Amino acid sequence: QLQLQESGPGLVKPSETLSLTCTVSGGPISSRSYYWGWIRQPPEKGLEWIGSIFYNGNTFYNSSLKSRVTILVDPSKNQFSLEVRSVTAADTAVYYCARQYLTAFDFWGQGSLVTVS
Amino acid sequence: SYVVTQPPSVSVAPGQTAKITCGGNSIGTKSVNWYQQKPGQAPVLVVSVDSDRPSGMPERFSGSNSGNTATLSISRVEAGDEADYYCQVWDTTNDPAGVFGGGTKLTVL
């Protein structure tokens, strides 16, 4: 069964860079059938798509975050990662990684709470 | 950018059918996906491509999409269906982008 697990610091200082890694198990990240995405959810708020990446590095980003976000993929480690630069309190959220099949996110990690303070 | 709109809340009695809507300009031309999220848990895909159910998802969950409104229907509602529900589309008007609705809290009375 496919599993995704987010990892990274739970606390980041304002103006610094938030970095998270998603480790995929139970299937290859290099499959040509899937993109891999990051989605976040501020406390008590809704879901926000951050961006998605293909195994060859092709990426799509939310236009509202594009200037501060980088998503990378490492097929050799079966991982993909997220960086958000110049963070503020508004970036405090639970960050989810997920597998994207066509337009839907069909497998999700459990989420990682990142607090900016 | 594309916007999808959901009602903040829907209430339904057990055993009845809940309908949660997702509005957007010509949303009927897009594929709509629906997610269920219970407190403290990650979202779970319940309907994809307007009306497809993932393996293992009960037949009580169904979807439709036409014109400017997509609808998630949950028949024979149970207490365990109480959750937040989100619709999501993939917008290719400009650069491809995922778009989520604001979410609907389903309360089982």
Side-chain angles (χ1 to χ4, degrees), chain A residues 64-105:
Chain A
S64 68
L65 297 168
K66 188 173 184 176
S67 64
R68 298 193 295 125
V69 168
T70 299
I71 297 175
L72 299 173
V73 64
D74 187 343
S76 69
K77 295 181 179 179
N78 232 36
Q79 294 177 335
F80 62 109
S81 63
L82 170 71
E83 283 192 350
V84 183
R85 296 174 291 277
S86 304
V87 298
T88 68
D91 294 307
T92 293
V94 175
Y95 286 76
Y96 295 100
C97 60
R99 188 180 78 172
Q100 180 180 344
Y101 178 63
L102 299 178
T103 67
F105 298 98

Side-chain angles (χ1 to χ4, degrees), chain A residues 18-35:
Chain A
L18 177 162
S19 297
L20 292 171
T21 297
C22 182
T23 300
V24 179
S25 58
I29 203 170
S30 57
S31 169
R32 298 188 179 196
S33 298
Y34 307 109
Y35 271 75

